[in-house]
Amino acid sequence: DQYYFDLTAYALWRTAADLIPNFVQRDKFAKDIGRGIYKESKQRGLLLEQLNQKEKDNREGAPNGSLTGTIPAVLEILDLFKSTQFCLNYRLGGDDSSRTGQSVFDELDDEDIQDGASVNCLISVYQPAMLGASLQITGEGSRFSPEFVGSTLSAMWEEAGITASFETYFVDQEYRPNPKDFFPDEQLLQFTLTRKK
C-alpha cells in the first residue's frame, strides 16, 4: 500500500530527524540506507548488471572510475525502482535529448572526472512512493527527507570510485498562477559527481 509506505517513511524520517540533530550523521544515516538497499538488491539478484571490467580494474588499482561505465548499472537501478512500482517512471538526464539515457555521460565526462573536475547529472523520478512524506517534511522546514533512489545510486557510484552528492527538488509539471496551488509529481535529483579521494 503506497499510502501506508508513505506514512511509515514520514514517521521514520521525522523520528530520525529528532534523534539525529547532527547534519553529518543525518547524511550518513541516509547514505547507509542507500548502501543497504544496493547491497540487498545485489545479494537477492535484483541487480544483475555488474560494473564493467574497466570499473573493476579502477577499483582494484586506480582510485577512480569512469562515468560511462556506470550507465548500465544506473539504468538497472532506476528500472528496479520502476518495476517494483516505487515510482511511475524516470528520466535520466536533462532536457537535452542528446544527453539522456545511455548517452547521459560521454568520454569528455570521463576525462573531467579523471582530471578532478565535477560532473553534474539530473534524474527525474515521477510519482515516487514517498513523495507525500518528502513534501511534508520539507514543508516543516527540514532538509532531511525520505529519499531512496538518490542514496541507492550514490552507493553504486561509491563502489565505482565516484563520490556522489545530490540535492532534491520537487517539480509541478503544470503552471498554476497561485503559488499555494503546488502539486508536484516529480522529484528531481541533481547529482554532483567527483572522483573519490
Side-chain angles (χ1 to χ4, degrees):
D1 182 358
Q2 175 184 345
Y3 300 107
Y4 178 75
F5 184 65
D6 200 21
L7 179 64
T8 305
Y10 170 79
L12 175 66
W13 251 259
R14 192 74 205 128
T15 302
D18 289 341
L19 295 175
I20 309 171
N22 183 307
F23 291 108
V24 173
Q25 290 175 336
R26 285 181 179 183
D27 185 53
K28 183 182 180 319
F29 173 82
K31 286 184 178 181
D32 284 347
I33 288 177
R35 288 180 188 114
I37 292 170
Y38 182 61
K39 180 181 176 184
E40 187 74 19
S41 297
K42 285 184 2 180
Q43 286 176 346
R44 291 181 178 227
L46 299 173
L47 295 175
L48 303 175
E49 183 66 46
Q50 299 297 314
L51 297 172
N52 69 23
Q53 189 60 45
K54 183 178 178 183
E55 297 311 309
K56 291 177 185 174
D57 293 343
N58 282 332
R59 278 199 322 261
E60 292 167 6
N64 53 6
S66 74
L67 291 173
T68 54
T70 64
I71 294 172
V74 170
L75 289 169
E76 187 176 35
I77 289 169
L78 292 171
D79 285 337
L80 175 64
F81 279 107
K82 182 181 173 185
S83 69
T84 57
Q85 298 179 358
F86 179 83
C87 64
L88 180 66
N89 207 351
Y90 66 86
R91 182 180 72 215
L92 176 58
D95 292 331
D96 181 0
S97 62
S98 67
R99 300 275 294 178
T100 59
Q102 289 283 354
S103 303
V104 71
F105 301 122
D106 60 19
E107 293 77 23
L108 296 175
D109 293 322
D110 288 341
E111 288 176 19
D112 286 344
I113 285 287
Q114 298 299 326
D115 292 341
S118 63
V119 174
N120 293 322
C121 175
L122 294 175
I123 298 176
S124 294
V125 181
Y126 299 103
Q127 298 181 15
M130 297 187 309
L131 182 62
S134 296
L135 287 169
Q136 180 63 36
I137 289 176
T138 301
E140 293 171 0
S142 175
R143 296 196 54 174
F144 181 60
S145 61
E147 202 296 306
F148 287 172
V149 178
S151 58
T152 303
L153 289 168
S154 292
M156 179 276 304
W157 274 314
E158 181 179 61
E159 185 179 76
I162 297 165
T163 300
S165 60
F166 64 95
E167 291 291 329
T168 303
Y169 302 96
F170 303 101
V171 180
D172 187 347
Q173 299 295 325
E174 182 180 329
Y175 169 75
R176 302 171 204 278
N178 184 349
K180 292 184 179 182
D181 294 336
F182 181 60
F183 302 107
D185 62 349
E186 174 186 348
Q187 195 170 20
L188 179 66
L189 305 172
Q190 181 181 3
F191 282 90
T192 300
L193 306 168
T194 55
R195 179 178 61 185
K196 198 177 203 179
K197 296 177 182 181

